[in-house]
Amino acid sequence: MSDTPRLIRCTAIALLCGAALTAAQAQVSISDPPETHHFGSIPLGASYATQYFSLFNNGSSPVTLGAARIDGELATCAALGCPVVAPADFQIDTGADGCSGHTLQPGQGCSTLVGFVPSEPGGRMARLVFTIPGSPPVTRTLQGNGSSQPLDCVLDWAQAQWPDILRQPSHTFAAEQFLARCYANNSLCVGADNRHPTLAPPSVYVLNLQGRPSLSNLGPLSQWAAAARCR
């Protein structure tokens, strides 16, 4: 007897199962906030940047959710100033997680609270994952900026003062003992040696990469902070 009917039947079952899994994923979506949501520029270590992420069952059958998690399984660029994949900087509030383990009936939603607590300055990112047992997860990229004060305040002020020179700014980034931003297609970098506490007060430096590289000390960061009226 030919195996063709059995193969057709098995293939049909596999296709139906695959379609069911895809449908389970498609009918559950993140309804809020929009994909463009950004946690903003938050001081290092601050814990007040939070956002509820809401799931909604758009389909006609119940969907049981697994555990929500945050991971770093996403692509990012390696260029200077690009956001850093930092899943530890984003946290699910287990006391305000209304989605993990819940079953969403048709037309029903749930919300999970996520916080952003930056540990380093500059762009930070991670992936929020809502698992669905037996189906691909629903995911969203999380983004925020870590802000180091008073340097970020000084750099924001300087960019407003000299927009022709300090154009095309990168994110603030960390390099050895420095926190800095680069400008004009990375041809000029401005920063301070305040990444780690030191006995000597931090100073502001300019690294000019046009032609022969040169490093100039512009004086104490505290003086620039006073000029920029940074608190």
Side-chain angles (χ1 to χ4, degrees):
M1 182 177 175
S2 172
D3 286 338
T4 300
R6 183 166 62 85
L7 290 174
I8 292 175
R9 185 168 62 253
C10 291
T11 302
I13 292 172
L15 288 173
L16 287 173
C17 290
L21 293 180
T22 303
Q25 180 196 27
Q27 74 179 44
V28 177
S29 62
I30 296 178
S31 57
D32 186 67
E35 292 188 11
T36 55
H37 174 74
H38 194 284
F39 280 92
S41 186
I42 306 301
L44 302 187
S47 59
Y48 55 76
T50 59
Q51 174 66 45
Y52 275 102
F53 286 79
S54 300
L55 283 182
F56 190 80
N57 184 355
N58 304 289
S60 57
S61 58
V63 174
T64 298
L65 304 173
R69 71 173 189 271
I70 291 172
D71 64 30
E73 297 180 16
L74 40 73
T76 185
C77 70
L80 196 63
C82 284
V84 174
V85 177
D89 286 8
F90 299 86
Q91 304 166 0
I92 291 175
D93 186 338
T94 55
D97 179 6
C99 294
S100 294
H102 286 243
T103 297
L104 297 182
Q105 299 298 326
Q108 190 176 47
C110 65
S111 295
T112 292
L113 186 64
V114 176
F116 173 52
V117 185
S119 60
E120 289 278 5
R124 318 291 283 174
M125 62 190 302
R127 188 178 73 151
L128 174 63
V129 181
F130 290 102
T131 60
I132 303 174
S135 181
V138 177
T139 66
R140 173 66 62 83
T141 299
L142 306 172
Q143 294 194 68
N145 287 336
S147 175
S148 175
Q149 298 302 329
L151 178 62
D152 276 314
C153 173
V154 168
L155 294 178
D156 291 343
W157 169 82
Q159 287 167 205
Q161 297 296 311
W162 301 287
D164 293 338
I165 299 174
L166 303 180
R167 63 187 188 278
Q168 300 172 304
S170 72
H171 291 294
T172 304
F173 63 92
E176 297 181 355
Q177 76 269 32
F178 293 93
L179 301 176
R181 288 184 200 171
C182 289
Y183 301 90
N185 199 25
N186 297 330
S187 63
L188 182 74
C189 298
V190 182
D193 53 343
N194 67 329
R195 184 182 182 188
H196 304 297
T198 58
L199 294 177
S203 295
V204 175
Y205 295 85
V206 173
L207 176 62
N208 190 339
L209 297 172
Q210 293 179 331
R212 188 173 181 178
S214 62
L215 182 66
S216 302
N217 187 330
L218 299 185
L221 175 59
S222 59
Q223 290 184 5
W224 286 97
R229 297 183 179 180
C230 300
R231 296 182 177 180

